[in-house]
PDB file of all heavy atoms in Angstrom:
ATOM      1  N   VAL W 104       4.918  -0.601   0.793  1.00 98.00           N
ATOM      2  CA  VAL W 104       5.757  -0.331   1.984  1.00 98.00           C
ATOM      3  C   VAL W 104       6.392   1.041   1.850  1.00 98.00           C
ATOM      4  O   VAL W 104       6.962   1.379   0.831  1.00 98.00           O
ATOM      5  CB  VAL W 104       6.901  -1.405   2.106  1.00 98.00           C
ATOM      6  CG1 VAL W 104       7.801  -1.070   3.288  1.00 98.00           C
ATOM      7  CG2 VAL W 104       6.324  -2.765   2.190  1.00 98.00           C
ATOM      8  N   ALA W 105       6.230   1.871   2.938  1.00 98.00           N
ATOM      9  CA  ALA W 105       6.956   3.135   2.990  1.00 98.00           C
ATOM     10  C   ALA W 105       8.000   3.025   4.125  1.00 98.00           C
ATOM     11  O   ALA W 105       7.700   2.640   5.218  1.00 98.00           O
ATOM     12  CB  ALA W 105       5.984   4.250   3.332  1.00 98.00           C
ATOM     13  N   LEU W 106       9.219   3.358   3.776  1.00 98.00           N
ATOM     14  CA  LEU W 106      10.357   3.298   4.704  1.00 98.00           C
ATOM     15  C   LEU W 106      10.958   4.730   4.791  1.00 98.00           C
ATOM     16  O   LEU W 106      11.369   5.248   3.757  1.00 98.00           O
ATOM     17  CB  LEU W 106      11.412   2.288   4.203  1.00 98.00           C
ATOM     18  CG  LEU W 106      12.618   2.067   5.111  1.00 98.00           C
ATOM     19  CD1 LEU W 106      12.260   1.530   6.448  1.00 98.00           C
ATOM     20  CD2 LEU W 106      13.648   1.177   4.410  1.00 98.00           C
ATOM     21  N   ILE W 107      11.048   5.255   5.963  1.00 97.00           N
ATOM     22  CA  ILE W 107      11.577   6.576   6.182  1.00 97.00           C
ATOM     23  C   ILE W 107      13.036   6.447   6.655  1.00 97.00           C
ATOM     24  O   ILE W 107      13.296   5.798   7.673  1.00 97.00           O
ATOM     25  CB  ILE W 107      10.775   7.417   7.231  1.00 97.00           C
ATOM     26  CG1 ILE W 107       9.252   7.312   6.948  1.00 97.00           C
ATOM     27  CG2 ILE W 107      11.319   8.789   7.348  1.00 97.00           C
ATOM     28  CD1 ILE W 107       8.905   8.085   5.698  1.00 97.00           C
ATOM     29  N   ARG W 108      13.957   7.006   5.860  1.00 94.00           N
ATOM     30  CA  ARG W 108      15.378   6.955   6.203  1.00 94.00           C
ATOM     31  C   ARG W 108      16.133   8.148   5.665  1.00 94.00           C
ATOM     32  O   ARG W 108      15.859   8.527   4.504  1.00 94.00           O
ATOM     33  CB  ARG W 108      16.041   5.686   5.632  1.00 94.00           C
ATOM     34  CG  ARG W 108      15.758   4.433   6.442  1.00 94.00           C
ATOM     35  CD  ARG W 108      16.505   4.468   7.814  1.00 94.00           C
ATOM     36  NE  ARG W 108      16.167   3.301   8.620  1.00 94.00           N
ATOM     37  CZ  ARG W 108      15.134   3.235   9.466  1.00 94.00           C
ATOM     38  NH1 ARG W 108      14.289   4.222   9.589  1.00 94.00           N
ATOM     39  NH2 ARG W 108      14.928   2.160  10.215  1.00 94.00           N
ATOM     40  N   ASP W 109      16.985   8.771   6.492  1.00 92.00           N
ATOM     41  CA  ASP W 109      17.863   9.797   6.048  1.00 92.00           C
ATOM     42  C   ASP W 109      17.119  10.938   5.350  1.00 92.00           C
ATOM     43  O   ASP W 109      17.481  11.464   4.318  1.00 92.00           O
ATOM     44  CB  ASP W 109      18.921   9.293   5.074  1.00 92.00           C
ATOM     45  CG  ASP W 109      19.760   8.195   5.781  1.00 92.00           C
ATOM     46  OD1 ASP W 109      19.996   8.302   6.967  1.00 92.00           O
ATOM     47  OD2 ASP W 109      20.079   7.211   5.063  1.00 92.00           O
ATOM     48  N   GLN W 110      15.995  11.365   5.963  1.00 95.00           N
ATOM     49  CA  GLN W 110      15.124  12.455   5.481  1.00 95.00           C
ATOM     50  C   GLN W 110      14.591  12.182   4.059  1.00 95.00           C
ATOM     51  O   GLN W 110      14.354  13.098   3.247  1.00 95.00           O
ATOM     52  CB  GLN W 110      15.958  13.796   5.476  1.00 95.00           C
ATOM     53  CG  GLN W 110      16.249  14.300   6.841  1.00 95.00           C
ATOM     54  CD  GLN W 110      14.980  14.543   7.659  1.00 95.00           C
ATOM     55  OE1 GLN W 110      14.177  15.395   7.293  1.00 95.00           O
ATOM     56  NE2 GLN W 110      14.856  13.831   8.760  1.00 95.00           N
ATOM     57  N   LYS W 111      14.420  10.930   3.803  1.00 97.00           N
ATOM     58  CA  LYS W 111      13.809  10.496   2.514  1.00 97.00           C
ATOM     59  C   LYS W 111      12.705   9.488   2.815  1.00 97.00           C
ATOM     60  O   LYS W 111      12.730   8.836   3.819  1.00 97.00           O
ATOM     61  CB  LYS W 111      14.817   9.890   1.556  1.00 97.00           C
ATOM     62  CG  LYS W 111      15.909  10.859   1.124  1.00 97.00           C
ATOM     63  CD  LYS W 111      16.902  10.185   0.201  1.00 97.00           C
ATOM     64  CE  LYS W 111      18.005  11.132  -0.265  1.00 97.00           C
ATOM     65  NZ  LYS W 111      19.021  10.472  -1.084  1.00 97.00           N
ATOM     66  N   ILE W 112      11.751   9.359   1.877  1.00 97.00           N
ATOM     67  CA  ILE W 112      10.768   8.307   1.947  1.00 97.00           C
ATOM     68  C   ILE W 112      10.967   7.392   0.760  1.00 97.00           C
ATOM     69  O   ILE W 112      11.051   7.841  -0.384  1.00 97.00           O
ATOM     70  CB  ILE W 112       9.339   8.891   2.006  1.00 97.00           C
ATOM     71  CG1 ILE W 112       8.285   7.754   2.125  1.00 97.00           C
ATOM     72  CG2 ILE W 112       8.990   9.782   0.813  1.00 97.00           C
ATOM     73  CD1 ILE W 112       6.886   8.242   2.498  1.00 97.00           C
ATOM     74  N   PHE W 113      11.053   6.108   1.025  1.00 98.00           N
ATOM     75  CA  PHE W 113      11.206   5.059  -0.001  1.00 98.00           C
ATOM     76  C   PHE W 113       9.878   4.319  -0.028  1.00 98.00           C
ATOM     77  O   PHE W 113       9.504   3.758   1.012  1.00 98.00           O
ATOM     78  CB  PHE W 113      12.353   4.171   0.281  1.00 98.00           C
ATOM     79  CG  PHE W 113      13.686   4.872   0.373  1.00 98.00           C
ATOM     80  CD1 PHE W 113      14.112   5.484   1.588  1.00 98.00           C
ATOM     81  CD2 PHE W 113      14.511   4.967  -0.747  1.00 98.00           C
ATOM     82  CE1 PHE W 113      15.320   6.113   1.627  1.00 98.00           C
ATOM     83  CE2 PHE W 113      15.760   5.647  -0.648  1.00 98.00           C
ATOM     84  CZ  PHE W 113      16.168   6.253   0.554  1.00 98.00           C
ATOM     85  N   ILE W 114       9.266   4.248  -1.185  1.00 98.00           N
ATOM     86  CA  ILE W 114       7.941   3.590  -1.347  1.00 98.00           C
ATOM     87  C   ILE W 114       8.102   2.440  -2.313  1.00 98.00           C
ATOM     88  O   ILE W 114       8.507   2.613  -3.477  1.00 98.00           O
ATOM     89  CB  ILE W 114       6.863   4.546  -1.809  1.00 98.00           C
ATOM     90  CG1 ILE W 114       6.680   5.675  -0.784  1.00 98.00           C
ATOM     91  CG2 ILE W 114       5.569   3.748  -1.979  1.00 98.00           C
ATOM     92  CD1 ILE W 114       5.680   6.703  -1.194  1.00 98.00           C
ATOM     93  N   ALA W 115       7.819   1.234  -1.816  1.00 98.00           N
ATOM     94  CA  ALA W 115       7.919   0.003  -2.658  1.00 98.00           C
ATOM     95  C   ALA W 115       6.498  -0.508  -2.866  1.00 98.00           C
ATOM     96  O   ALA W 115       5.607  -0.328  -2.001  1.00 98.00           O
ATOM     97  CB  ALA W 115       8.802  -1.041  -1.974  1.00 98.00           C
ATOM     98  N   ASN W 116       6.302  -1.126  -4.101  1.00 97.00           N
ATOM     99  CA  ASN W 116       4.974  -1.569  -4.427  1.00 97.00           C
ATOM    100  C   ASN W 116       4.980  -2.831  -5.298  1.00 97.00           C
ATOM    101  O   ASN W 116       5.785  -2.953  -6.192  1.00 97.00           O
ATOM    102  CB  ASN W 116       4.243  -0.481  -5.164  1.00 97.00           C
ATOM    103  CG  ASN W 116       2.865  -0.895  -5.623  1.00 97.00           C
ATOM    104  OD1 ASN W 116       2.010  -1.245  -4.829  1.00 97.00           O
ATOM    105  ND2 ASN W 116       2.624  -0.839  -6.905  1.00 97.00           N
ATOM    106  N   VAL W 117       4.037  -3.708  -4.941  1.00 97.00           N
ATOM    107  CA  VAL W 117       3.677  -4.834  -5.823  1.00 97.00           C
ATOM    108  C   VAL W 117       2.161  -4.947  -5.771  1.00 97.00           C
ATOM    109  O   VAL W 117       1.540  -4.970  -4.668  1.00 97.00           O
ATOM    110  CB  VAL W 117       4.312  -6.154  -5.406  1.00 97.00           C
ATOM    111  CG1 VAL W 117       3.613  -7.335  -6.062  1.00 97.00           C
ATOM    112  CG2 VAL W 117       5.800  -6.144  -5.722  1.00 97.00           C
ATOM    113  N   GLY W 118       1.473  -5.045  -6.915  1.00 95.00           N
ATOM    114  CA  GLY W 118       0.036  -5.174  -6.931  1.00 95.00           C
ATOM    115  C   GLY W 118      -0.705  -3.881  -7.252  1.00 95.00           C
ATOM    116  O   GLY W 118      -0.123  -2.959  -7.787  1.00 95.00           O
ATOM    117  N   ASP W 119      -1.994  -3.832  -6.863  1.00 94.00           N
ATOM    118  CA  ASP W 119      -2.754  -2.677  -7.184  1.00 94.00           C
ATOM    119  C   ASP W 119      -3.228  -1.840  -5.977  1.00 94.00           C
ATOM    120  O   ASP W 119      -4.079  -0.922  -6.106  1.00 94.00           O
ATOM    121  CB  ASP W 119      -3.989  -3.079  -8.008  1.00 94.00           C
ATOM    122  CG  ASP W 119      -4.974  -3.967  -7.271  1.00 94.00           C
ATOM    123  OD1 ASP W 119      -4.647  -4.376  -6.153  1.00 94.00           O
ATOM    124  OD2 ASP W 119      -6.081  -4.219  -7.800  1.00 94.00           O
ATOM    125  N   SER W 120      -2.644  -2.142  -4.815  1.00 96.00           N
ATOM    126  CA  SER W 120      -2.815  -1.128  -3.772  1.00 96.00           C
ATOM    127  C   SER W 120      -1.955   0.108  -4.134  1.00 96.00           C
ATOM    128  O   SER W 120      -1.040  -0.025  -4.937  1.00 96.00           O
ATOM    129  CB  SER W 120      -2.398  -1.680  -2.438  1.00 96.00           C
ATOM    130  OG  SER W 120      -3.238  -2.698  -1.986  1.00 96.00           O
ATOM    131  N   ARG W 121      -2.291   1.255  -3.591  1.00 97.00           N
ATOM    132  CA  ARG W 121      -1.666   2.481  -4.149  1.00 97.00           C
ATOM    133  C   ARG W 121      -1.082   3.386  -3.059  1.00 97.00           C
ATOM    134  O   ARG W 121      -1.474   3.347  -1.933  1.00 97.00           O
ATOM    135  CB  ARG W 121      -2.759   3.277  -4.899  1.00 97.00           C
ATOM    136  CG  ARG W 121      -3.289   2.614  -6.168  1.00 97.00           C
ATOM    137  CD  ARG W 121      -4.333   3.471  -6.842  1.00 97.00           C
ATOM    138  NE  ARG W 121      -4.699   2.934  -8.095  1.00 97.00           N
ATOM    139  CZ  ARG W 121      -5.660   3.428  -8.876  1.00 97.00           C
ATOM    140  NH1 ARG W 121      -6.284   4.600  -8.583  1.00 97.00           N
ATOM    141  NH2 ARG W 121      -6.005   2.834 -10.007  1.00 97.00           N
ATOM    142  N   ALA W 122      -0.150   4.241  -3.550  1.00 98.00           N
ATOM    143  CA  ALA W 122       0.333   5.378  -2.786  1.00 98.00           C
ATOM    144  C   ALA W 122       0.077   6.612  -3.600  1.00 98.00           C
ATOM    145  O   ALA W 122       0.417   6.672  -4.770  1.00 98.00           O
ATOM    146  CB  ALA W 122       1.771   5.211  -2.420  1.00 98.00           C
ATOM    147  N   TYR W 123      -0.501   7.604  -2.952  1.00 98.00           N
ATOM    148  CA  TYR W 123      -0.736   8.942  -3.597  1.00 98.00           C
ATOM    149  C   TYR W 123       0.107   9.972  -2.868  1.00 98.00           C
ATOM    150  O   TYR W 123       0.251   9.924  -1.614  1.00 98.00           O
ATOM    151  CB  TYR W 123      -2.177   9.360  -3.488  1.00 98.00           C
ATOM    152  CG  TYR W 123      -3.205   8.513  -4.270  1.00 98.00           C
ATOM    153  CD1 TYR W 123      -3.880   7.567  -3.607  1.00 98.00           C
ATOM    154  CD2 TYR W 123      -3.480   8.764  -5.588  1.00 98.00           C
ATOM    155  CE1 TYR W 123      -4.847   6.765  -4.275  1.00 98.00           C
ATOM    156  CE2 TYR W 123      -4.438   8.038  -6.285  1.00 98.00           C
ATOM    157  CZ  TYR W 123      -5.119   7.033  -5.628  1.00 98.00           C
ATOM    158  OH  TYR W 123      -6.093   6.329  -6.286  1.00 98.00           O
ATOM    159  N   LEU W 124       0.570  10.977  -3.571  1.00 98.00           N
ATOM    160  CA  LEU W 124       1.183  12.161  -3.051  1.00 98.00           C
ATOM    161  C   LEU W 124       0.190  13.315  -3.113  1.00 98.00           C
ATOM    162  O   LEU W 124      -0.321  13.609  -4.213  1.00 98.00           O
ATOM    163  CB  LEU W 124       2.451  12.488  -3.786  1.00 98.00           C
ATOM    164  CG  LEU W 124       3.096  13.910  -3.474  1.00 98.00           C
ATOM    165  CD1 LEU W 124       3.531  14.039  -2.024  1.00 98.00           C
ATOM    166  CD2 LEU W 124       4.206  14.187  -4.430  1.00 98.00           C
ATOM    167  N   LEU W 125      -0.084  13.964  -2.014  1.00 97.00           N
ATOM    168  CA  LEU W 125      -1.022  15.091  -1.966  1.00 97.00           C
ATOM    169  C   LEU W 125      -0.216  16.394  -1.627  1.00 97.00           C
ATOM    170  O   LEU W 125       0.568  16.378  -0.709  1.00 97.00           O
ATOM    171  CB  LEU W 125      -2.093  14.916  -0.961  1.00 97.00           C
ATOM    172  CG  LEU W 125      -3.183  13.879  -1.197  1.00 97.00           C
ATOM    173  CD1 LEU W 125      -2.691  12.500  -0.854  1.00 97.00           C
ATOM    174  CD2 LEU W 125      -4.428  14.191  -0.439  1.00 97.00           C
ATOM    175  N   ARG W 126      -0.484  17.425  -2.395  1.00 95.00           N
ATOM    176  CA  ARG W 126      -0.012  18.773  -2.104  1.00 95.00           C
ATOM    177  C   ARG W 126      -1.192  19.726  -2.243  1.00 95.00           C
ATOM    178  O   ARG W 126      -2.255  19.261  -2.710  1.00 95.00           O
ATOM    179  CB  ARG W 126       1.146  19.110  -3.018  1.00 95.00           C
ATOM    180  CG  ARG W 126       2.419  18.404  -2.700  1.00 95.00           C
ATOM    181  CD  ARG W 126       3.553  18.826  -3.605  1.00 95.00           C
ATOM    182  NE  ARG W 126       4.844  18.320  -3.135  1.00 95.00           N
ATOM    183  CZ  ARG W 126       5.945  18.281  -3.875  1.00 95.00           C
ATOM    184  NH1 ARG W 126       5.906  18.627  -5.143  1.00 95.00           N
ATOM    185  NH2 ARG W 126       7.064  17.778  -3.360  1.00 95.00           N
ATOM    186  N   GLN W 127      -1.018  20.922  -1.882  1.00 89.00           N
ATOM    187  CA  GLN W 127      -2.092  21.918  -1.902  1.00 89.00           C
ATOM    188  C   GLN W 127      -2.713  22.037  -3.309  1.00 89.00           C
ATOM    189  O   GLN W 127      -3.884  22.191  -3.461  1.00 89.00           O
ATOM    190  CB  GLN W 127      -1.588  23.278  -1.430  1.00 89.00           C
ATOM    191  CG  GLN W 127      -2.662  24.278  -1.275  1.00 89.00           C
ATOM    192  CD  GLN W 127      -2.193  25.569  -0.672  1.00 89.00           C
ATOM    193  OE1 GLN W 127      -0.989  25.793  -0.460  1.00 89.00           O
ATOM    194  NE2 GLN W 127      -3.085  26.521  -0.360  1.00 89.00           N
ATOM    195  N   GLN W 128      -1.858  21.872  -4.332  1.00 89.00           N
ATOM    196  CA  GLN W 128      -2.291  22.104  -5.714  1.00 89.00           C
ATOM    197  C   GLN W 128      -2.904  20.856  -6.371  1.00 89.00           C
ATOM    198  O   GLN W 128      -3.414  20.947  -7.503  1.00 89.00           O
ATOM    199  CB  GLN W 128      -1.156  22.658  -6.548  1.00 89.00           C
ATOM    200  CG  GLN W 128       0.028  21.809  -6.737  1.00 89.00           C
ATOM    201  CD  GLN W 128       1.109  22.034  -5.696  1.00 89.00           C
ATOM    202  OE1 GLN W 128       0.805  22.234  -4.540  1.00 89.00           O
ATOM    203  NE2 GLN W 128       2.349  21.959  -6.122  1.00 89.00           N
TER     204      GLN W 128
END
Side-chain angles (χ1 to χ4, degrees):
V104 178
L106 181 64
I107 310 294
R108 280 292 175 271
D109 302 323
Q110 293 300 300
K111 295 178 181 178
I112 183 169
F113 299 86
I114 299 176
N116 177 58
V117 165
D119 64 352
S120 293
R121 292 180 175 179
Y123 295 97
L124 169 64
L125 288 81
R126 287 180 169 164
Q127 188 174 7
Q128 62 269 40

